[in-house]
Amino acid sequence: MTARKKAFSGIQPTGKVHLGNLLGAIQNWVALQDAYDCTFCIVDWHAMTVDYDANELRSKVRDCAIALLASGVDPSRCTLFVQSEVPEHTELAWYLMTCAPVSRLELQAQYKDKSAQHADNLNAGLLTYPVLQAADILAHRADVVPVGEDQKQHLELARELARKFNLRFGQVFPEPETLLTPAKRIVGTDGKAKMSKSKDNTLDILATPDELWQRLRSAVTDEQRLRRADPGRPEVCNVFAWHQMLTDAPQVASVESGCRTAQIGCMDCKKILHQSLLRLLDPIRERAQALYAEPEKVDAILREGAAKARRSAKATLALAREKCGFGPAA
Ligand code: AMP
Ligand code: TRP
């Protein structure tokens, strides 16, 4: 039997898991679990690059694990672990740091965004964030990385760092490929920016039906449709974009024509979307509630995941260390 290819991905425990995470990445993680040898990581070290409350981090990590497990990440078919439990990632990050041109790091869009947002805390971790991300992936010698579109540039850098390391020290790493979903960039409730934990524009996957409705009610639609009687333009409306991902095709067609002809208003359209959202999220919320009642089970899953991830990263690091000239010669 040939070995399955490896998939690796990560998520930050910085806020609540939202629809962008689910449709842009997590659904792909779940789908890959049979065909690939999958490893998924809650990246708490990455979360340190902005100000955070150390007393809250553990519970945020657990919330994130519960959201992932409830969404279908299945510990019997993948490895789920917390980054800070596997110190090999930071060791490899150091080796890769010496392969990463500072000028390349300064060009990363996420760095430019975050350094503008956190001008009062411009730490070196923000700049070297994608090097640690490359180390996460390469420590497990992953072949594919399922992520949303915002991570494409970081993954190009990870490929470049793999190539540079291999050229400089000898072949250790495959160049990981990026895997996007059709929903690679979900826009937030503001109708403009990417849905993001750091912005108040998310639909959280574990929110109650009422909380979801409150968010949807105020979500921005076609800004030129001022009155109920005005015909709408679904092609510019973010709520319609969500329908295309969440509602079945015949109903999408009827929402589209109803909007164009002003037979339905934005609230009618949002009520239908609310139903579609609940169809997707009700079972996830119910599974999460069950997991919240058994926190020790979640902790055990993460503990076992960390042990597996440590074995995988240790094997890679033994090779990398030897190639870099550290430790006794093989
Ligand atoms: P983060 O919440 O930034 O840790 O992201 C975790 C995963 O979700 C990454 O693969 C991101 O690319 C993906 N993701 C985050 N926000 C969105 C979004 N608005 N649309 C699509 N994918 C997203
Ligand atoms: N930077 C990613 C994000 O913000 C999270 C991440 C860290 C990641 N390490 C990773 C994603 C490794 C994929 C692979 O979403």
Side-chain angles (χ1 to χ4, degrees), residues 21 35 44 65 69 83 100 107 146 182 225:
N21 297 135
D44 50 354
L69 294 166
Q83 185 184 38
L107 287 176
R225 188 175 186 195

Side-chain angles (χ1 to χ4, degrees), residues 9-14 16 18-26 29 43 110 114 129 146-152 181 183-188 193-197:
S9 199
I11 182 166
Q12 298 195 65
T14 42
K16 298 202 168 135
H18 57 70
L19 193 68
N21 297 135
L22 183 66
L23 302 183
I26 300 166
W29 301 8
V43 294
Q110 188 166 315
K114 291 239 170 138
Y129 175 113
V147 282
E149 193 174 49
D150 59 336
Q151 295 303 312
K152 249 173 107 174
T181 64
K184 57 191 186 228
R185 184 177 184 276
I186 305 290
V187 171
K194 182 191 76 166
M195 190 176 284
S196 166
K197 290 177 188 135

Side-chain angles (χ1 to χ4, degrees), residues 86 88 139 309-319 321:
V86 185
E88 283 74 10
R310 235 175 268 134
R311 281 198 292 279
S312 148
K314 268 189 199 306
T316 307
L317 264 292
L319 205 58
R321 217 175 275 145

